[in-house]
Amino acid sequence: MKHRRKIVKLQRKGDHRDALLANLACSLIVHRRIRTTLAKAKALRPVAEKLVTLGKRALAATEAKDALHCRRQAIAKLRKPAIVKTLIDEIAKASVERKGGYTRITKLGQRRSDSAPMAFIEWVDAFVPKTTAAPAAEESAEGAAAPVEAEVVEAAAAPKKRATRKKKTEEA
């Protein structure tokens, strides 16, 4: 019977799986949204949500040692203190009022090469990182920004051309 066996193994040994999920969680924190296989996204969801809960506990801690303990637990999982700082300062702060369900998985369809089901995993609370652009530069760039954005959208919407194989010419 499979009672109390909820961990998704992803066809990897335990250490490899832990490293994979830690790397995926770091990428999710840095990039806010990542594209991966559906199985990896489903395995990453509980890891990411527990990390946000640790970050929220660190924010709400009344004593410094409690906050430090939560921070160290997150560092033990992610192995990167700079990313833990981003997790606590940005992601946990944005999710303070939410009681759970910090991530969203959006199915994308199958990958062309091996037909693996693909998905986006992203944070539910959409937050924009602070930009340090000067206000005067933003005003002057607003008029010129619209055509550039239109070109970028058109370029992104253009279909990619498939590479074709050169046909071998028969030697007579």
Side-chain angles (χ1 to χ4, degrees), residues 2 8 14 34 41 50 72 75 83 89-90 119 129 138 147-148 158-159:
K2 293 178 67 177
V8 178
I34 58 173
K50 287 173 187 171
R72 284 180 175 168
I75 290 171
I83 292 180
D89 293 343
E90 296 177 10
E138 290 178 1
V148 174

Side-chain angles (χ1 to χ4, degrees), residues 61-72:
T62 56
E63 295 183 23
K65 66 178 183 179
D66 294 338
L68 182 62
H69 179 62
C70 293
R71 187 176 296 268
R72 284 180 175 168

Side-chain angles (χ1 to χ4, degrees), residues 33-45:
R33 176 172 89 164
I34 58 173
R35 181 175 184 250
T36 184
T37 61
L38 184 60
K40 287 179 187 174
K42 286 181 176 181
L44 175 62
R45 175 183 266 177

